[in-house]
Amino acid sequence: MSTDCIFCKIAAGEIPATVVYRDELVTAFRDIHPVAPTHILVIPNKHIPSTNDLSEADQPLMGHLLGVVPKIAAQEGVVQSGYRLIVNTGPDANQVVMHFHLHIIGGQRMKYPMG
Ligand code: 5GP
Ligand code: ZN
């Protein structure tokens, strides 16, 4: 855990968030500034700053993180309608919180093209 990381504190239950899924490896909660009717962030409970910091040892964790997405999508009622998964990494992607997180965005038609 990184003591100055807001998402570590959410994973530890030290600051409030609307948690929609939690297990020993990952936590999912509603984004505080949703950009769509469904906007969930899924994070590893362990502090990993960004995609660039993933190690080979993190592969089962990341597989698990992706694996919980359909369960959360089902809870949110967006399995059939669809959703977008986004992982912002670094300055050009406007990554703001330096704790790896996967955005699940849905409940409305997404804009395209991306970028
Ligand atoms: P990024 O640009 O780093 O991919 O996105 C970070 C996301 O975290 C943003 O969508 C922002 O609204 C969300 N966020 C930042 N601080 C908090 C917080 O304290 N609680 C929650 N639930 N979401 C947060
Ligand atoms: Zn963290």
Side-chain angles (χ1 to χ4, degrees), residues 6-7 10 15-17 29-33 39 41 88 93-97 101 103:
I6 195 156
F7 284 4
I10 288 174
I15 65 165
F29 52 96
R30 295 195 190 284
D31 195 292
I32 203 164
H33 295 126
H39 189 169
L41 302 174
N88 293 321
N94 296 307
Q95 183 180 1
V96 173
V97 178
H101 52 280
H103 296 254

Side-chain angles (χ1 to χ4, degrees), residues 1-2 5-9 44-48 98-100:
M1 168 159 175
S2 171
C5 173
I6 195 156
F7 284 4
C8 278
K9 288 179 178 157
N45 294 337
K46 164 188 165 183
H47 183 75
I48 299 172
M98 293 308 290
H99 180 128
F100 182 97

Side-chain angles (χ1 to χ4, degrees), residues 32-103:
I32 203 164
H33 295 126
V35 299
T38 290
H39 189 169
I40 307 287
L41 302 174
V42 191
I43 64 170
N45 294 337
K46 164 188 165 183
H47 183 75
I48 299 172
S50 86
T51 310
N52 292 333
D53 301 295
L54 291 169
S55 71
E56 211 169 321
D58 293 321
Q59 288 181 8
L61 167 62
M62 300 316 288
H64 178 71
L65 189 146
L66 197 55
V68 302
V69 168
K71 294 181 195 171
I72 297 166
Q75 280 176 208
E76 293 293 311
V78 296
V79 166
Q80 299 302 327
S81 52
Y83 49 90
R84 180 170 284 168
L85 303 180
I86 299 171
V87 178
N88 293 321
T89 304
D92 275 358
N94 296 307
Q95 183 180 1
V96 173
V97 178
M98 293 308 290
H99 180 128
F100 182 97
H101 52 280
L102 175 73
H103 296 254

